[in-house]
Amino acid sequence: MNWEETPDERDFRHEVRAFARERFPVGYGPDPEAEHSLEPEDVWGYDWPADRLSRDPARRAGARAWAAALAERGWIAPGWPVEYGGAGLSAMREFILREEMMRAGVPTVNGIGAMLLGPTLLEYGTEEQRAAHLPGIARGETTWAQGFSEPGAGSDLASLRTRAVCAGPGSGSYLVNGQKVWTSSAQYADWLFVLVRTDPEAPKHKGITFLLIDASSPGVAIRPVQDMRGATPFAEIFFDDVSVPVANRVGAENQGWYVAMAALGFERAGIGATVKFEQVLSRLVGCLRSEKEPGCPGRDTAVLRHEIAQRYIELRTQYNLARHTASQLEAVGIPGHEASVSQLFGAELHQRLARTGAKAFGPYAQLWQRDGAPMEAAFAHMRFDAVAATLLGGTTEIQRRVIATRGLKLPKS
């Protein structure tokens, strides 16, 4: 790949910076009470799916105005074709757009729908499904959540038990029963894309189907799950005889595993976490150099400086991995094992960075309340985020398996 930006790409980067500066709604700021999102594409302090439905009129108006501004240019789904509401940008331009939006500190809009479901429907969906769902996502009007994980099927996703059976001869629908868990922002979603088992007798990877389910359907119950910080970034979903039209099936029956793997590949191809980590490490250095922050003076040791320098090197490595993934996506249309390399490296870097911050603040790293804590206890909260980093979007074991079998062509264990 060419590591140098072209003149056109540099011009586009300046265009994005100007847009974010001029069009981001005045007054739509981060929620000081919001916990850090676990989603790498989300800017800390914002929760766009929740803000869109907020009881605070100013926050709700700000979220919707920002979505409308992005939709004018097709920048909610920048890589999609124009006829579905996208901007038809190349993968590298989309990479630049998302990087600059993160650097500007403005939230991603409709991330799961635009970055996971949309590309999946473009690859595997029917024309009717694309026409029905893509424009609403691109306008910021409908939001989606991904229902893959289950109580008994986390990293071993193919062990899922949520069942879908034919509702009856001539019914043209499935009946879905079961439970999903750890579904990000499901309580704010209009629609769900889920994996269900349609053939319990088939090998576990070959009896799964990918369905689109209206979250307001009778029999769907969504309950937020509170994490150990008291935040509710996830939800559990229960399906009780939920009727789903066969027309909502993506791909062939019992072939949903392959559709899901494509969706997860798009999830792993992001840039957001890299920028977020760069910003927090820069803040850490600034804090250590300040004599005003509690807990910072006296921690600036040679050992700590060496560790921070190591994190910077790793962050640049992570950036180049993400850029390489974007170049591969531009070349072949779907992410390959390169996305798993980037996901694996970024997840483990997340945990190392959290430990570096904890070392920097010594006993102050135990402070949970933000008032009076160095960097408003950002690293204390980051350490809690980092616990799940090697589980989200596929565990590190799964990523290593993808790299070994698809990238290095090693035999399956």
Side-chain angles (χ1 to χ4, degrees):
M1 66 168 287
N2 183 5
W3 296 98
E4 296 291 332
E5 283 187 356
T6 66
D8 283 347
E9 288 171 347
R10 282 196 291 274
D11 289 345
F12 182 66
R13 187 178 291 279
H14 291 305
E15 179 185 345
V16 175
R17 289 176 183 170
F19 175 84
R21 186 171 57 248
E22 296 166 4
R23 297 298 303 275
F24 191 68
V26 174
Y28 179 31
D31 183 351
E33 302 300 323
E35 277 301 333
H36 296 170
S37 167
L38 290 171
E39 299 298 326
E41 296 294 345
D42 290 342
V43 176
W44 280 330
Y46 287 100
D47 187 349
W48 185 83
D51 293 342
R52 168 179 167 263
L53 302 176
S54 173
R55 293 180 180 177
D56 178 347
R59 180 161 295 277
R60 186 171 66 247
R64 296 186 179 190
W66 179 229
L70 289 170
E72 284 179 19
R73 295 195 176 206
W75 282 2
I76 290 178
W80 296 5
V82 173
E83 61 263 35
Y84 299 118
L89 298 186
S90 67
M92 191 54 69
R93 284 199 169 208
E94 182 173 0
F95 176 90
I96 292 170
L97 172 65
R98 299 202 183 283
E99 178 187 349
E100 290 303 322
M101 290 295 178
M102 288 294 293
R103 294 196 187 284
V106 297
T108 299
V109 169
N110 247 353
I112 293 176
M115 288 186 274
L116 271 72
L117 180 69
T120 304
L121 287 185
L122 289 169
E123 185 71 22
Y124 292 99
T126 64
E127 188 50 47
E128 290 74 15
Q129 289 168 345
R130 295 171 191 146
H133 298 297
L134 296 186
I137 297 172
R139 291 192 297 266
E141 294 173 353
T142 53
T143 59
W144 288 73
Q146 174 205 67
F148 284 5
S149 296
E150 295 188 4
S155 57
D156 186 14
L157 182 59
S159 296
L160 63 89
R161 296 179 179 177
T162 295
R163 288 288 311 276
V165 298
C166 178
S171 67
S173 61
Y174 296 102
L175 282 181
V176 177
N177 285 279
Q179 180 187 358
K180 299 292 178 179
V181 74
W182 310 127
T183 305
S184 300
S185 299
Q187 62 269 44
Y188 309 115
D190 303 298
W191 280 79
L192 313 165
F193 55 98
V194 303
L195 293 178
V196 295
R197 185 160 299 285
T198 39
D199 185 353
E201 305 301 323
K204 63 181 185 180
H205 291 88
K206 296 183 178 179
I208 293 173
T209 297
F210 192 109
L211 293 180
L212 312 178
I213 300 179
D214 187 336
S216 64
S217 300
V220 175
I222 301 177
R223 300 174 185 169
V225 175
Q226 189 176 68
D227 66 17
M228 56 186 171
R229 303 167 302 181
T232 54
F234 310 112
E236 56 185 350
I237 308 171
F238 298 88
F239 301 100
D240 182 9
D241 277 342
V242 178
S243 178
V244 180
V246 172
N248 285 12
R249 186 183 71 214
V250 180
E253 186 172 281
N254 298 325
Q255 297 297 310
W257 179 258
Y258 307 101
V259 181
M261 291 303 101
L264 290 174
F266 290 114
E267 182 182 29
R268 296 163 186 160
I271 174 62
T274 308
V275 176
K276 185 189 293 186
F277 296 161
E278 283 181 356
Q279 290 170 334
V280 77
L281 190 59
S282 293
R283 283 190 63 199
L284 173 63
V285 172
C287 179
L288 291 172
R289 289 173 172 169
S290 170
E291 296 182 355
K292 297 180 180 179
E293 290 275 2
C296 293
R299 303 297 301 176
D300 186 13
T301 65
V303 172
L304 183 58
R305 286 199 297 273
H306 175 81
E307 186 164 324
I308 288 173
Q310 184 64 32
R311 296 292 90 80
Y312 266 116
I313 293 169
E314 292 165 354
L315 280 168
R316 294 316 300 168
T317 302
Q318 173 67 25
Y319 179 87
N320 287 328
L321 286 173
R323 189 175 171 87
H324 179 59
T325 301
S327 75
Q328 291 297 108
L329 186 60
E330 187 162 281
V332 300
I334 57 174
H337 69 278
E338 295 84 1
S340 287
V341 175
S342 183
Q343 167 87 3
L344 173 63
F345 191 87
E348 295 184 345
L349 172 56
H350 188 173
Q351 296 180 340
R352 290 194 295 274
L353 181 58
R355 288 196 293 270
T356 297
K359 287 182 183 178
F361 296 127
Y364 288 89
Q366 306 302 316
L367 293 176
W368 181 255
Q369 298 298 324
R370 297 184 184 278
D371 290 344
M375 289 182 61
E376 295 85 38
F379 275 101
H381 289 249
M382 188 178 188
R383 287 177 65 195
F384 281 93
D385 275 352
V387 172
T390 49
L391 302 174
L392 294 171
T395 66
T396 52
E397 289 78 9
I398 296 294
Q399 308 305 338
R400 285 189 168 90
R401 187 178 302 170
V402 170
I403 295 165
T405 56
R406 300 183 195 172
L408 301 176
K409 308 301 182 187
L410 296 174
K412 294 181 179 179
S413 59

